[in-house]
């Protein structure tokens, strides 16, 4: 089954937004009140990138993208 471009775009948007939420939560969990915000942002960015990559690889393996 080969989904249309619009369906693939929607699936990518869902993966992107899910990864943003995971990155925000990870950044909030890793941040300490007395520490600067920079390391929290970097950690959240890394988790976002890893989550998006994992999601897209899993969907590609399943043949959805």
């Amino acid at each position: 089954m080969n989904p249309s471009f619009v369906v693939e775009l929607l699936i990518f948007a869902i993966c992107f937004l899910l990864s943003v939420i995971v990155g925000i939560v990870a950044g909030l969990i890793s941040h300490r009140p007395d520490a600067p915000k920079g390391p929290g942002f970097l950690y959240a960015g890394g988790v976002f990138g890893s989550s998006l990559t994992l999601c897209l690889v899993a969907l590609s393996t399943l043949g959805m993208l």
Side-chain angles (χ1 to χ4, degrees):
M1 182 173 138
N2 205 3
S4 66
F5 178 71
V6 175
V7 173
E8 287 181 354
L9 191 62
L10 287 173
I11 291 172
F12 176 76
I14 290 170
C15 287
F16 182 83
L17 292 175
L18 180 70
S19 297
V20 166
I21 291 170
V22 169
I24 289 171
V25 170
L28 289 174
I29 290 173
S30 72
H31 178 66
R32 303 283 181 242
D34 56 343
K37 291 181 178 65
F41 281 119
L42 287 176
Y43 186 76
V47 170
F48 164 76
S50 301
S51 175
L52 184 61
T53 302
L54 181 66
C55 187
L56 292 177
V57 166
L59 288 174
S60 294
T61 303
L62 293 173
M64 304 257 332
L65 294 179

